[in-house]
Amino acid sequence: MTETTAAPKAKKPTKAKPKAAKAKPAPKAAAAKAKTPIEVASGIISELTRTNFEETVETAKAVLKSGDLKAAVELQNEFLRAAFKRNLDAAREINELTVSAVREAVGPYAEKFNEAVEKLRAA
């Protein structure tokens, strides 16, 4: 019996792992397009949430480092005042945005309604 030496098997080429697709830049027309009121409100809320979280963490760190009860209470009071003002400003901004969006949406219907009422008065 003769032994034959088999040549080492060639490795099968392995498939490359799929890579995440690179984000494509938005088309210029889409970039020029104005944001919808919902997108603007979402941005306001996201920014407010991020800011509130960061301020909460920083205030908590400062309170823990203060070592004095009076200083800790003062830090918390300052934080609460600032957070209340920040939240109130964001609520006002969203309210203004909502009112303007509703006016824009209802405007054409209001004009048609007023025209119909004038026609009824004239008849």
Side-chain angles (χ1 to χ4, degrees), residues 7-118:
K9 292 184 180 178
K11 289 186 178 180
K12 292 182 182 177
T14 59
K15 294 182 181 177
K17 292 182 181 178
K19 294 182 181 179
K22 291 184 179 179
K24 296 178 183 176
K28 301 229 181 211
K33 186 178 174 184
K35 289 184 177 181
T36 65
I38 291 175
E39 291 172 329
V40 174
S42 177
I44 292 168
I45 293 169
S46 296
E47 181 66 24
L48 178 68
T49 303
R50 184 189 60 75
T51 302
N52 281 342
F53 178 75
E54 289 174 355
E55 291 293 322
T56 300
V57 170
E58 290 198 17
T59 301
K61 286 179 182 177
V63 166
L64 291 173
K65 288 181 183 178
S66 69
D68 181 20
L69 185 61
K70 185 177 180 179
V73 169
E74 242 180 75
L75 286 168
Q76 287 179 333
N77 284 338
E78 289 174 20
F79 167 73
L80 288 175
R81 281 188 205 105
F84 182 75
K85 183 182 181 319
R86 186 172 43 248
N87 290 335
L88 193 60
D89 290 343
R92 283 187 184 132
E93 198 173 344
I94 290 173
N95 183 43
E96 291 171 6
L97 181 67
T98 303
V99 168
S100 67
V102 168
R103 283 187 181 148
E104 284 180 26
V106 174
Y109 300 106
E111 289 176 19
K112 295 291 183 183
F113 179 76
N114 289 337
E115 288 174 11
V117 168
E118 291 301 320

